[in-house]
Amino acid sequence: MSAQSPVSSGASSIDSGEAFFEWTVPSILLSTFLRQVGFEGNGLVKIDIEGAESAITEDIRKVGEYPQTAVHLSLHPPLWGNKDGTASAILNMTRQFKVFDVQGSPLSRETLQSMMLTDERNPSWGTAWGNFFEVVLESKA
C-alpha cells in the first residue's frame, strides 16, 4: 500500500483504509523459497518485513533446522497490532536458536522480551525512529 505515489519504492505500514494505491503481489513461504533455491544451510538469511514478523515465525523456526545457519532479523514492535502476542510468538520461535544482539553479544530471552515490550519511545537499542532493532539468530542444528 502507498499513501504517496504508485511508483514509491518505500515500504508502508499504513492501514489499507488510508492507502491511495494498493497492489496484490504473489508470494511464497520462506521455507518454500529456500527449498526451491536448494538452500541446505551454512548461510545467512536476512529478514526485514516491516512489522509483519508474526506472520512468518513458523517459517523462521524452520530455518533453525538448517545446519550452521544464521538469521539476521529486524524487529519492529511499534508496528505490531498485538504486541504481547507477537512478542510471545517470536520468543517461542527463538527456542530453535542461540540469540545475539547485532554486536555479537548473547541475548537472553528475558532481555529480548523486555526489549520488544518496552514502552520507551526511543530506547538505547532502537533506531532514531523508535524501538526498531535487529537480532541475530544462530541455528542450534
Side-chain angles (χ1 to χ4, degrees), residues 63-71 96-98 137-141:
V63 173
E65 296 172 0
Y66 288 98
Q68 298 180 331
T69 298
V71 175
Q96 192 76 18
F97 299 91
K98 298 175 194 169
L137 309 173
E138 182 183 298
S139 68
K140 293 180 180 177

Side-chain angles (χ1 to χ4, degrees), residues 75 77-78 80 83-84 86-88 90-91 94 99 107-126 131-133 135:
L75 297 171
W80 299 342
K83 198 171 183 182
D84 289 331
T86 300
S88 178
I90 289 170
L91 287 171
T94 62
V99 183
L107 199 60
S108 71
R109 291 170 35 80
E110 293 77 17
T111 299
L112 177 57
Q113 180 178 28
S114 174
M115 291 169 73
M116 291 187 291
L117 296 178
T118 186
D119 289 329
E120 285 185 65
R121 187 172 176 91
N122 290 93
S124 61
W125 59 83
N131 189 25
F132 305 113
F133 62 98
V135 295

Side-chain angles (χ1 to χ4, degrees), residues 18-96:
E18 302 171 25
F20 294 120
F21 306 97
E22 184 173 326
W23 300 267
T24 300
V25 296
S27 62
I28 61 173
L29 296 172
L30 175 61
S31 55
T32 302
F33 172 75
L34 294 175
R35 190 172 47 255
Q36 285 179 352
V37 298
F39 184 77
E40 295 179 359
N42 301 310
L44 172 70
V45 177
K46 171 71 167 106
I47 300 173
D48 185 351
I49 57 174
E50 305 301 322
E53 294 85 352
S54 65
I56 67 165
T57 55
E58 180 58 24
D59 258 13
I60 297 171
R61 186 196 62 72
K62 290 177 182 177
V63 173
E65 296 172 0
Y66 288 98
Q68 298 180 331
T69 298
V71 175
H72 189 124
L73 177 64
S74 296
L75 297 171
H76 307 81
L79 302 180
W80 299 342
N82 178 354
K83 198 171 183 182
D84 289 331
T86 300
S88 178
I90 289 170
L91 287 171
N92 187 47
M93 173 269 299
T94 62
R95 293 179 195 275
Q96 192 76 18

